[in-house]
Each structure stands twice: as structure tokens, then as C-alpha cells.
Amino acid sequence: MNTEEALPPFSIGFAGALSVAYTVLYVLPFYLSSTTRPSPALSRDAPSVIRARMRFVSVSVTLATVVTIYLLATRARVPRLEILRLLGWYPIGIIEIVKSLLLTAILFAGPLFEKAVIEGAWKEWIQGHGLHESLSSWIGWRNYIAGPVSEEILFRSLLVPLHLLTTLSPTRVVLLTPLYFGIAHIHHFYEFVLTHPHTPLAPSIIRSLIQFTYTTIFGWYATFLFLRTGNVVAVILAHTFCNWAGLPRVWGRVEPRVAIGGPATRGKEDSESEESKMRKGSWGWSIAYYVLLVAGAVGFQQCLWSLTESPRALAKVE
């Protein structure tokens, strides 16, 4: 009798099968309708495709949420407030959100420096122009709102609690569940090949493998963050931040897009000297960028545990 009471509500196989079903439910609708299915003449970035996909994703995530809550309430017999806690919906800790964003910003210290100082975007940030421009297109809404919200609810808020209620340790949950998130992005390979028919197959495969790798790595971080903070909003905002920042450059010279101080009027006799100054200046920017890139990575490693510590943690990750 005691052994039966100690058994977890879900088996690893059941949680895995349901996770696969959720992943298929999330991706499959993209290809069932002509309004969401890309073609050589219709890009996934077309506003009509984005709007249609957002509608389908909303339905898919809603269905998955209903199923998960039902299973937690009936099969796992989790109390109502505890269900909200497991999903990371309540309570929403502002401190955890701020600390999570700070930790993510530390990791992206180099790219932030490049955007803010080298490219001079800090003025736009203060005036709020950058936010307005980012959200003034359907691509922006997909990348910074719909994508992070739907993906984090499905792949973190729903999948992680199901696996926590199995015999898997929290560490294994961190390592395993992001694989579904990475697999969910493999369909971009088909889309890329379809919309870029003249691109050789090998580069397309390499591109997809790289995407699978960095989405899985981000998934590890997001799952770790979710378990440590118990806050899905913190993870959504971290996801949005990473989408906005993009992959950090790890090679090449860093140069401003526009010469600092505005365009200069030059004659033939001083063009070479001006270009020489620009090249020398770019080396300075590059050194500063790569120093901050390394410093950010070290700072991230040093602050990873302290900035994710929370009394609302869903599990102890070791």
C-alpha cells in the first residue's frame, strides 16, 4: 500500500508521449492549410501566413492547456492553487522577473554594447522608438510576442510539470524536455528548402542543425529558469529578450553602421586618411565588444545560481 502511494502520477512514457503529441499539435497545423503552408511563392514571413499561424497556435496551446490542467486535477489530484503554481502562473514574482532579465542581459553584455553604443541605438531605446518599430510589423509580433508566449506556455509551463510528476529528477527534466522544443523547430528545414530551391542541400542541413542546437541550448536555460523561479512570465520575457538580441557574433570585426558624428564631407585627398581612421576605430570597438562578450559569459556563470534563487522554485536543480 505504501509503495503504491509513493508511485508518481505519470510514467515517463506517458509524459513523453503527451509531449510528442503537444509538439505535433503545435507544428502540424502550419501545413494543413494553404493559408499557413509556405511555398516557393509564399514565405513564412508573409503577414497573411503569420496571422493564420498565430490563430492556429492559439487554439493548439489552449487545447494542450485544458488537457494538462484536467490531468493534473484528476489523475495527479493536484489542488487548484497548486496547479497554478506548477504551471508558473501564480504567484507572479516581480523580483524573479527582474533578476531573470538581469541575468540574461549579463550574458548578452557584448551584443548590448554593440547595439547601444557602437550602433548608437541607446537614443532610440530611451525614446521608445525601437519598441514601436519592433511591434509595428507582424514579424515583430510573431518574434517578440506570439512566439515566446505560445512556446513557453507549451514547452515549459505545460511539459515541465508533467515530467516533474514522473520519476525523472529535476536535472533530467532540464536536459530532456528542451529536446521537444528543439525538434519543434526542425520543420524550418522543410520551409527553407521549399522557399530557397536553389540552395544546396548540405548548407540547408547545416543551417537546421545549428538552429536545433541553439534552440535546445536555450531550452535548457529556459527550463532551468522556470524550475528555479517558478515563473513563466520571467521565462517568456527572457525568450523575447533573446529573440530581440539574436545570436551573438563570435568572430569578425565590429563596426558601426553609420560613422559616429554623422556623415562627413570628404575630398579625394583625405579619403584614405578617413578610411584609415575608421578601420583603426573599428579595431577598438571590436576589442571592447569581445572583452564584454567574454566578461558577460563569465558573469552569467557566476550569477546563474544567485539570480535564479527563489522561494517559489518548482524543484531543486542540482
Side-chain angles (χ1 to χ4, degrees):
M1 185 67 178
N2 292 334
T3 303
E4 292 180 356
E5 291 180 353
L7 290 176
F10 307 122
S11 68
I12 297 175
F14 176 81
L18 195 58
S19 298
V20 171
Y22 284 178
T23 303
V24 173
L25 180 65
Y26 188 88
V27 175
L28 188 60
F30 294 170
Y31 302 96
L32 295 180
S33 170
S34 59
T35 60
T36 58
R37 187 170 53 247
S39 68
L42 186 63
S43 168
R44 65 185 292 268
D45 293 332
S48 61
V49 174
I50 294 175
R51 290 194 298 269
R53 287 188 170 192
M54 287 171 62
R55 289 193 294 268
F56 277 109
V57 162
S58 298
V59 173
S60 297
V61 172
T62 300
L63 288 175
T65 301
V66 171
V67 171
T68 302
I69 291 177
Y70 174 78
L71 290 172
L72 292 176
T74 59
R75 186 164 175 173
R77 300 188 181 279
V78 179
R80 293 179 182 178
L81 283 180
E82 182 65 12
I83 289 176
L84 296 180
R85 191 186 77 85
L86 279 174
L87 297 178
W89 295 2
Y90 178 85
I92 298 298
I94 302 299
I95 294 177
E96 283 81 4
I97 294 174
V98 173
K99 288 166 62 178
S100 298
L101 284 175
L102 175 60
L103 177 64
T104 310
I106 290 173
L107 178 62
F108 283 84
L112 284 175
F113 174 76
E114 181 179 11
K115 287 178 179 288
V117 179
I118 299 178
E119 296 180 0
W122 66 272
K123 295 180 181 179
E124 296 179 358
W125 297 352
I126 293 176
Q127 297 170 356
H129 292 167
L131 179 63
H132 179 267
E133 291 179 3
S134 297
L135 299 180
S136 62
S137 68
W138 283 106
I139 293 177
W141 275 96
R142 179 194 63 195
N143 293 346
Y144 307 130
I145 304 296
V149 170
S150 63
E151 290 178 353
E152 294 310 319
I153 288 179
L154 185 72
F155 294 103
R156 244 63 66 182
S157 180
L158 303 184
L159 263 60
V160 169
L162 292 174
H163 286 78
L164 281 178
L165 296 176
T166 68
T167 56
L168 286 174
S169 67
T171 301
R172 288 179 179 268
V173 172
V174 171
L175 296 175
L176 174 63
T177 56
L179 296 178
Y180 302 112
F181 180 64
I183 292 171
H185 288 78
I186 290 180
H187 72 99
H188 290 311
F189 168 74
Y190 169 74
E191 294 183 343
F192 184 80
V193 171
L194 193 64
T195 55
H196 298 77
H198 302 295
T199 302
L201 186 61
S204 301
I205 294 175
I206 293 174
R207 178 182 181 274
S208 294
L209 289 176
I210 292 174
Q211 186 176 38
F212 172 78
T213 300
Y214 73 70
T215 51
T216 301
I217 291 173
F218 171 78
W220 289 334
Y221 172 56
T223 306
F224 176 85
L225 201 61
F226 181 65
L227 288 179
R228 292 274 294 173
T229 65
N231 192 323
V232 72
V233 176
V235 183
I236 289 172
L237 292 178
H239 191 153
T240 297
F241 183 95
C242 291
N243 281 1
W244 169 77
L247 285 176
R249 70 162 75 222
V250 293
W251 67 83
R253 185 184 301 178
V254 180
E255 296 178 338
R257 293 179 181 176
V258 180
I260 296 177
T265 302
R266 300 180 302 177
K268 293 182 179 179
E269 64 278 0
D270 60 1
S271 60
E272 292 185 2
S273 61
E274 291 293 333
E275 291 176 0
S276 177
K277 290 179 181 179
M278 288 290 292
R279 285 196 298 269
K280 291 180 180 179
S282 69
W283 279 113
W285 291 128
S286 299
I287 292 172
Y289 169 83
Y290 287 112
V291 167
L292 285 172
L293 187 67
V294 174
V298 173
F300 175 82
Q301 189 271 333
Q302 293 292 325
C303 299
L304 181 62
W305 294 94
S306 61
L307 289 181
T308 57
E309 186 175 1
S310 171
R312 300 181 175 89
L314 299 180
K316 185 179 181 180
V317 183
E318 297 177 342

